[in-house]
Structures are given as C-alpha cells and as structure tokens.
C-alpha cells in the first residue's frame, strides 16, 4: 500500500484548517498537540500558519481509560497548556485517529483546564476502527488498512510514516 | 526481614508494586518516580487538581503512629488521583480493643481495599504487611520505626532536583539525630543511587550510629567542617524525648553546636538550599531567620510531597494491575493446557 507524502498532506491540512477557521470566524485559536505524534504534526501545522500564541500540548497518560489493563505509561511528559483555556477556540491535533479513545481522554483533560468555546479536531491520518462516536473535523488522509495492520509515525525530524 | 524487599516490592519485570524501601532500587526506577512526580506538579497548579487515574480505588491510611503532615499529604494525593480514602486512627480503633494486626488487615481487605498506606513504630512493619496481605493490595511505607521513610526521601530528591537542577555531583549534609532517623537512612540510599558526589551525616557522637558510614556516607562531628562546599543542607527534627534519655546535654547546647544559623549557613556554598522534613523546632535545630530565609525550601518540600505521593501511588497501583494480569494469564494458560 502506498502511503501519502507527509509534507504534502500537512500542507493541504494547513490550507483546510485555515479555511475552516475563516468560515467559523475564529481568528486566534490555541493549537494543542496530543503527545507524542500529535505534537509533531501540530508543530508543522503551527509553523505553516501565523498564530499569535505558541504551540501547546496535552499528555493524556493520567486520563487514559486503559490504566486498569496497561497501567501507567512509563514516560509521562506532562501537559503544557496555558493557565486557562476558558472561552478559547482550540485546534486539537493528533497524528492517527483509530478508536477515538485518545481524543476522548484529551478532551476530558482540556475540560480540567476550563471550558473552551469550541474544539476543532484535526488528524493527519484516519485508519477507521472507531469505538467511540468521535470524528475529526479535518483529516489529512483516510487509510484503508488490512485487518491487524497498523501505521507508525516516527519523528519529529524528519516526520515519516510506515506500515506495521 | 524475612525476604529481600525488592522481591516483594517489584514485579517480575522490575516495576514498582509496593513502595517499602529505597534500598536496592535502581537509579532508573527512582528517576521514573521523580519524572512522574514532576508531571503531577503541573496538574497541581491547575484550577482542577484531580486526575481520574485511581477512580474507583480505595486507599486506606493505616497510621499506627501519629502524623499530621504525612497523613494529610497522602490523603490529598489519593484524593487528587480520584481514589476514595479511609483514614484509620489505629491507636483509637480495634487494635486498642485487642484485635490483632492481621485481623485488622483481613477486615480491611474484606472491604475491597486496593492500597494501604502504613505508618508504624516498628521497623519492617510495612514489609511484614506486604508479605501477608492478598496479592492485589499495594502497600506504601509511610515510615516504619528507624528503618525507612521512602516517600519523604523521594520528595527531598525532587526538591533537590528542582532547585539545584540535578542530584548528580551535589554535596549534601544531613544534620541532627541520625541515630533515630528513618528519613536519614532513606535519604542516604536515594542520594547514593542518584549519584550525589558526597553525603555527609553530621551530629553528636551519641546520635550518629557507629556503622553509619557503611551506608555510603561520611560522618562528621564538627558541623562547621561539614558545611564546607555543601550544595544542600538537610536539617532533621530533634525529638525532645531524646533529651530525657540523656543522649544530649540540653537543647541550647545542641543548638550551639548543631543548630543552623545564618552565620553557619554562610560556610556552605552561597547558593546552598536548606531543607527540613518538618515539623521544625525553631531555635533547637534551626534558627527562624534561616527557616524563613531565602535559601529555605522547606515549604516547597511540602508541596512536592503531594506530587511524589501521587506518583508512587499511581505507579504501585499500575504495578499491581500488571502482576494481576500476568497471574491471570498464567492461570488461563495453565487451564488451556489442562483442557488441551
């Protein structure tokens, strides 16, 4: 299976994001990447746009729903978010959306920092297999993988994708 | 001690499942505790301080000995991990009515508790409990006799790391009643494992155990000499009952020789930090001007204590779950083989 070119996909995603923000009348969003891969993707999108504020990140380790099964992630990095996100428009970025559980955890965590005005979900790749009713607003590419197949992002420099 | 504590406190793949002692733990594991605690500090600075990690778990604070600070920080830590917490003041409960320790524990287990935080006057109490409770209950040692107080030592390590950048290469003096201090023992193990350049223990001969240097530290009777080139000065609380045992002439005599004053602190490095596990005896082991001065990080230690306890509780619970699953898997495999 031919995987899409990451640089091109990111460029397209940036253009789509800019027009969505314009359409919704949002001029100063907070961009937040989900650790680790989401931060790499967000970093590219952030650098291609002119946003007033730096890139922020969420680490969902303390919010996962599989703690009972897998325990604590050994390398918790912590979230870097502004003190309050009250009434802010947030662009939440992840690298790959699958079950939707990571996004659920990230949104839960964001709400512990305040009540955002809105959240736009951006994902570089969507590989389906959803377990929760969560869909990205923008997606770089939808990939139809064979059963049991997964993709892996490596980064941050250079950001590459491979089939597992 | 009947068995090696690390056989009990670690899972087969080296993860924490109880936290009984620092002795024998690797630099990597201690660093993982500090890193996790660092992440919890950031959650403590938010409007909503809770994270949902231990939601639905029950933590029992089992304090056979009085404590205000340790108990309340464990309580806050458990609450901020979303666990339910039960505080048991054992001295006023069933044990005082003649129930044995094991009966008390079995009753608590029957209430589906997931973790016991244990403070006990006898060395080895937490270890004993960890050996005898059912496999799924995590035990955290909140101080046992003269043996260990591992969460206090780890919060001290976190304090040093956050204020001095690293523990590697630092000269640290621990001052006061080393003989009766479980905190000092745990600190010495942690400082050595984490690569401190030199650990000095300072006090009168009556309060320095003769074999203390075997733990990997240097004994000093002269406080002035010990302060030279120090990056960190940790003062220990002088327990007043020691005077009655004639181990010390008087409080004022002790303060003259081993009390930390502004003049004495000037002998250490100019950017040295001053720590104390609390509660402090002003004018006995530390002068108010130092305790409240710019080099004191005593109150920061209290805040870091919550984060360290959150880290250890989350990691131990995580380890319990991992070993439970491994046991379940082994069980399933055995059944599969039997039916095959």
């Amino acid at each position: 299976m031919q995987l899409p070119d990451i640089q091109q996909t990111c460029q397209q995603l940036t253009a789509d994001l800019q027009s969505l923000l314009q359409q919704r009348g949002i001029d100063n969003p907070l961009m937040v990447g989900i650790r680790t891969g989401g931060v790499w993707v967000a970093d590219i999108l952030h650098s291609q746009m002119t946003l007033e504020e730096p890139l922020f990140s969420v680490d969902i380790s303390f919010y996962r729903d599989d703690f009972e099964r897998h325990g604590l992630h050994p390398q918790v990095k912590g979230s870097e978010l502004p003190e309050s996100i009250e009434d802010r428009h947030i662009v939440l970025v992840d690298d790959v959306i699958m079950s939707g559980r990571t996004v659920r955890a990230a949104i839960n965590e964001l709400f512990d920092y305040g009540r955002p005005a809105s959240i736009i979900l951006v994902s570089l790749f969507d590989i389906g297999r959803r377990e929760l009713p969560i869909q990205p607003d923008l997606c770089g590419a939808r990939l139809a993988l064979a059963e049991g197949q997964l993709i892996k992002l490596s980064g941050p420099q250079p950001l590459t994708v491979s089939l597992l | 001690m009947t068995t090696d504590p690390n056989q009990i406190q670690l899972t087969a793949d080296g993860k924490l499942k109880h936290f009984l002692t620092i002795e024998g733990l690797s630099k990597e594991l201690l660093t993982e505790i500090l890193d996790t605690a660092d992440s919890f500090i950031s959650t403590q600075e938010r409007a909503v301080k809770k994270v949902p990690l231990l939601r639905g778990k029950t933590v029992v604070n089992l304090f056979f000995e009085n404590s205000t600070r340790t108990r309340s920080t464990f309580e806050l830590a458990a609450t901020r991990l979303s666990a339910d917490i039960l505080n048991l003041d054992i001295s006023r409960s069933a044990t005082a009515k003649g129930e044995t320790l094991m009966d008390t524990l079995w009753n608590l287990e029957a209430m589906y508790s997931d973790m016991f935080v244990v403070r006990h006057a006898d060395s080895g109490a937490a270890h004993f409990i960890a050996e005898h409770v059912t496999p799924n209950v995590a035990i955290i040692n909140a101080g046992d006799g003269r043996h260990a107080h591992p969460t206090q030592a780890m919060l001290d390590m976190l304090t040093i790391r956050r204020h001095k950048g690293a523990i590697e290469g630092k000269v640290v003096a621990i001052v006061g009643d080393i003989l009766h201090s479980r905190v000092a023992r745990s600190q010495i193990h942690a400082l050595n494992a984490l690569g401190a350049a030199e650990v000095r223990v300072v006090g009168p001969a009556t309060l320095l155990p003769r074999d203390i240097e075997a733990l990997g530290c240097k004994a000093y009777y002269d406080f002035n000499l010990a302060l030279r080139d120090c990056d960190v000065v940790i003062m220990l609380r002088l327990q007043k009952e020691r005077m009655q045992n004639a181990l010390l002439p008087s409080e004022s005599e002790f303060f003259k020789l081993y009390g930390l004053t502004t003049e004495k602190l000037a002998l250490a490095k100019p950017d040295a930090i001053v720590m104390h596990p609390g509660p402090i005896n002003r004018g006995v082991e530390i002068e108010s001007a130092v305790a409240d001065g710019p080099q004191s990080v005593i109150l920061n230690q209290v805040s870091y204590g919550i984060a360290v306890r959150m880290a250890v509780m989350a990691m131990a619970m995580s380890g319990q779950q991992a070993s439970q699953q491994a046991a379940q898997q082994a069980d399933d495999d055995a059944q599969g083989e039997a039916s095959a």
Side-chain angles (χ1 to χ4, degrees):
Chain A
M1 180 185 177
Q2 180 72 35
L3 288 169
D5 177 79
I6 288 199
Q7 286 308 319
Q8 266 178 12
T9 314
C10 282
Q11 260 169 22
Q12 184 58 48
L13 210 44
T14 303
D16 293 348
L17 178 59
Q18 279 167 325
S19 66
L20 182 64
L21 290 169
Q22 200 175 14
Q23 194 187 319
R24 293 198 184 174
I26 299 168
D27 52 8
N28 182 28
L30 272 182
M31 191 178 278
V32 179
I34 302 177
R35 280 194 195 279
T36 307
V39 177
W40 300 337
V41 176
D43 195 36
I44 298 177
L45 304 187
H46 192 271
S47 69
Q48 291 173 351
M49 294 169 71
T50 43
L51 296 178
E52 288 173 26
E53 285 174 83
L55 175 63
F56 293 97
S57 61
V58 278
D59 184 320
I60 60 142
S61 303
F62 298 146
Y63 288 79
R64 297 175 72 99
D65 63 2
D66 56 0
F67 178 70
E68 292 277 331
R69 292 188 210 177
H70 301 300
L72 195 62
H73 192 278
Q75 270 131 17
V76 183
K77 292 259 179 2
S79 298
E80 282 167 35
L81 284 166
E83 215 160 85
S84 170
I85 58 164
E86 198 74 19
D87 293 329
R88 296 297 306 269
H89 293 280
I90 289 173
V91 175
L92 184 62
V93 184
D94 204 1
D95 51 353
V96 181
I97 183 164
M98 190 173 86
S99 65
R101 290 177 190 273
T102 300
V103 175
R104 193 283 309 162
I107 292 176
N108 265 41
E109 176 157 8
L110 288 176
F111 271 77
D112 281 349
Y113 283 80
R115 180 183 184 275
S118 71
I119 298 175
I120 290 175
L121 178 61
V122 178
S123 181
L124 182 61
F125 297 122
D126 182 348
I127 59 168
R129 303 177 197 168
R130 210 74 84 240
E131 292 167 8
L132 296 176
I134 290 175
Q135 311 302 337
D137 295 290
L138 297 171
C139 166
R142 289 191 164 74
L143 306 177
L145 302 181
E147 205 184 317
Q149 206 168 33
L150 287 170
I151 53 170
K152 184 182 189 299
L153 234 72
S154 308
Q157 292 293 341
L159 193 59
T160 57
V161 61
S162 52
L163 277 172
L164 283 181
Chain B
M1 297 266 155
T2 45
T3 41
D4 173 6
N6 285 320
Q7 274 178 13
I8 294 183
Q9 69 179 349
L10 300 179
T11 61
D13 56 351
K15 301 269 177 226
L16 213 58
K17 63 172 179 166
H18 300 293
F19 192 42
L20 307 175
T21 179
I22 287 174
E23 197 177 353
L25 293 185
S26 68
K27 182 179 184 179
E28 290 68 33
L29 186 60
L30 297 181
T31 305
E32 190 185 327
I33 295 174
L34 296 180
D35 291 346
T36 309
D38 252 334
S39 313
F40 279 122
I41 287 180
S42 64
T43 68
Q44 299 310 291
E45 291 163 350
R46 317 184 307 204
V48 177
K49 295 174 177 62
K50 271 192 181 201
V51 295
L53 268 186
L54 297 193
R55 195 175 47 195
K57 302 287 180 200
T58 303
V59 175
V60 182
N61 256 344
L62 215 52
F63 278 59
F64 296 87
E65 209 185 55
N66 286 336
S67 154
T68 311
R69 191 175 328 234
T70 305
R71 190 165 95 164
S72 48
T73 50
F74 265 112
E75 188 175 348
L76 262 184
T79 311
R80 288 180 182 172
L81 288 167
S82 304
D84 297 308
I85 178 123
L86 176 66
N87 276 312
L88 273 196
D89 186 349
I90 299 292
S91 54
R92 273 188 240 146
S93 75
T95 330
K97 295 179 191 159
E99 189 178 56
T100 68
L101 171 63
M102 284 319 297
D103 281 323
T104 306
L105 294 176
W106 285 325
N107 273 279
L108 290 167
E109 274 177 42
M111 297 178 203
Y112 298 104
S113 304
D114 300 289
M115 181 181 288
F116 294 158
V117 177
V118 182
R119 156 77 58 102
H120 201 289
D122 292 344
S123 302
H127 184 118
F128 173 82
I129 293 172
E131 273 186 315
H132 290 90
V133 290
T134 52
N136 308 335
V137 180
I139 308 297
I140 309 289
N141 186 0
D144 62 329
R146 296 183 188 184
H147 171 241
H149 193 353
T151 59
Q152 174 68 45
M154 288 314 287
L155 78 87
D156 294 331
M157 298 308 112
L158 187 64
T159 308
I160 298 173
R161 201 172 80 162
R162 287 182 73 92
H163 289 269
K164 305 300 305 172
I167 288 145
E168 285 94 347
K170 298 291 178 288
V171 178
V172 182
I174 307 171
V175 188
D177 183 359
I178 309 291
L179 180 66
H180 301 93
S181 177
R182 52 191 170 212
V183 177
R185 274 174 190 72
S186 290
Q187 284 167 338
I188 295 167
H189 289 305
L191 286 164
N192 283 323
L194 289 165
E198 195 182 331
V199 184
R200 301 171 179 174
V201 290
V202 192
T206 47
L207 294 180
L208 277 187
R210 250 173 291 164
D211 53 355
I212 190 81
E213 289 191 336
L215 294 183
C217 56
K218 202 166 178 327
Y220 284 78
Y221 303 114
D222 182 339
F223 192 17
N224 293 348
L225 203 62
L227 281 167
R228 206 176 290 167
D229 297 324
C230 265
D231 297 286
V232 179
V233 185
I234 303 175
M235 303 303 296
L236 298 176
R237 186 171 78 93
L238 188 72
Q239 297 178 13
K240 302 211 173 183
E241 53 271 29
R242 307 297 174 222
M243 309 292 171
Q244 292 148 11
N245 302 343
L247 290 172
L248 283 173
S250 70
E251 281 181 9
S252 60
E253 178 79 10
F254 181 83
F255 183 68
K256 209 171 119 193
L257 290 171
Y258 297 103
L260 188 60
T261 59
T262 314
E263 295 76 48
K264 285 225 170 80
L265 183 57
L267 299 171
K269 282 189 183 162
D271 60 350
I273 54 168
V274 176
M275 295 166 50
H276 191 302
I280 59 175
N281 292 319
R282 290 171 186 265
V284 178
E285 68 258 354
I286 191 164
E287 187 184 65
S288 279
V290 175
D292 308 327
Q295 286 167 269
S296 164
V297 293
I298 295 172
L299 290 177
N300 301 70
Q301 287 176 267
V302 181
S303 317
Y304 301 153
I306 299 170
V308 159
R309 285 166 183 138
M310 287 173 82
V312 168
M313 288 170 129
M315 288 170 68
M317 197 55 89
S318 167
Q320 284 292 337
Q321 259 139 217
S323 55
Q324 226 169 303
Q325 264 163 29
Q328 181 69 43
Q329 189 61 46
D331 240 28
D332 291 352
D333 291 352
Q335 274 181 9
E337 272 170 36
S339 60

